[in-house]
Amino acid sequence: MAHSDRYAMLLSALPYHGPLFGATQTPLSRIRLNQRLALLDPDEADCLRHARRLLEWAQQEPDRTDAQSVVRAKQVIEGITNPFIRDLVTWRLELRTLVAALRRRHRGESAPRDRRWGFGRWTSRIMQHWNEPAFGLERAFPWLPEAERLLARGGTVDLERLLLGAVWNHLESCSDGHYLDFEAVVIYVLRWDMIARWTTYDGEEAARRFDELVEQAMAGVEKSLRPSADTARPVRA
């Protein structure tokens, strides 16, 4: 079967996901989704699995140091041969680095001195512009000033909503021109993951869970810059 035919068959079997924040459940179950994804060839399935492994909270390894996590992320990304998927994953990891920096600064901590604290092209910029609003990156990331305000106000759920909305909109902009191809499948699956994550939240439980995730992510930030950095836990913003 030709690739285009397989993609058409696969995507036609995936229900429309609708808006993120209007969802009350995923458009189809995880079991059904995995059954549909069986139409992918092994290389495509591996590419998708690697991308999800880096992006899903549940698949992170808490015993890794920040430096180890960054090295591992770079290794996995270098192994993703599809440039579109590689760029998607890179963008998400850079977003997490920005959020980790916001949280660190909000806690009154100083700028990191070791670039291994975060991932991507913005680490040096963040370190150099630590005391500037939004690290001077509001043009590249228009949601950053609002994220700062919500963080200062303690709006945990609103902050989570803002960040998920930023990712959702980014996926929307990336979907242009991808309708019956592998990239369209990946975008659908990443959106499915986001819906699954959001629909598990409920009021105070959402706030508790988000704070727990952020605290876990930030637990290694201080330690990662000390001489005993190899005992620190990784940053996962």
Side-chain angles (χ1 to χ4, degrees):
M1 182 184 299
H3 276 69
S4 57
D5 292 338
R6 284 194 293 108
Y7 297 138
M9 181 182 299
L10 170 55
L11 289 164
S12 65
L14 297 175
Y16 177 61
H17 48 65
L20 171 61
F21 299 119
T24 57
Q25 63 182 24
T26 55
L28 75 169
S29 70
R30 186 178 295 273
I31 292 175
R32 289 292 179 87
L33 176 63
N34 289 337
Q35 289 173 342
R36 304 292 189 267
L37 295 177
L39 284 172
L40 296 174
D41 67 33
D43 288 341
E44 293 169 337
D46 283 343
C47 181
L48 178 57
R49 184 172 60 255
H50 290 323
R52 296 177 85 187
R53 181 179 300 164
L54 284 176
L55 299 180
E56 286 188 9
W57 285 101
Q59 297 200 39
Q60 305 306 304
E61 297 184 23
D63 293 331
R64 282 183 178 157
T65 67
D66 297 315
Q68 289 171 340
S69 294
V70 171
V71 169
R72 177 56 180 162
K74 288 180 178 179
Q75 290 173 341
V76 173
I77 289 174
E78 288 173 0
I80 298 176
T81 57
N82 185 301
F84 179 88
I85 311 306
R86 188 168 58 243
D87 288 346
L88 274 182
V89 173
T90 297
W91 187 89
R92 287 283 296 277
L93 294 179
E94 290 177 340
L95 179 145
R96 289 184 179 176
T97 293
L98 287 164
V99 175
L102 287 177
R103 296 290 304 200
R104 179 183 174 92
R105 191 170 65 180
H106 178 68
R107 289 153 65 106
E109 300 178 24
S110 58
R113 299 177 182 176
D114 188 331
R115 295 183 184 181
R116 295 175 301 174
W117 70 274
F119 179 89
R121 61 194 146 161
W122 304 110
T123 52
S124 294
R125 168 100 184 194
I126 292 169
M127 294 162 67
Q128 294 167 4
H129 299 268
W130 187 254
N131 295 318
E132 293 183 24
F135 310 111
L137 291 170
E138 60 274 10
R139 292 186 64 182
F141 301 95
W143 50 267
L144 262 178
E146 179 64 12
E148 282 188 308
R149 286 191 290 270
L150 291 173
L151 188 58
R153 197 175 70 198
T156 304
V157 177
D158 288 337
L159 177 58
E160 174 71 352
R161 188 183 183 101
L162 174 70
L163 297 175
L164 287 176
V167 175
W168 187 268
N169 292 339
H170 182 72
L171 290 175
E172 177 68 27
S173 66
C174 291
S175 67
D176 290 344
H178 296 286
Y179 305 106
L180 296 176
D181 54 15
F182 176 57
E183 289 77 8
V185 175
V186 172
I187 289 172
Y188 185 96
V189 173
L190 294 182
R191 281 182 155 178
W192 187 96
D193 289 338
M194 294 180 66
I195 292 172
R197 177 176 170 181
W198 178 252
T199 53
T200 60
Y201 291 175
D202 181 19
E204 293 183 0
E205 175 62 18
R208 184 203 63 76
R209 183 172 182 273
F210 182 69
D211 280 340
E212 182 180 277
L213 289 173
V214 171
E215 287 302 316
Q216 180 184 14
M218 295 301 297
V221 174
E222 292 183 20
K223 298 177 183 178
S224 68
L225 301 179
R226 298 174 183 171
S228 57
D230 56 346
T231 63
R233 290 181 180 272
V235 173
R236 296 192 207 97

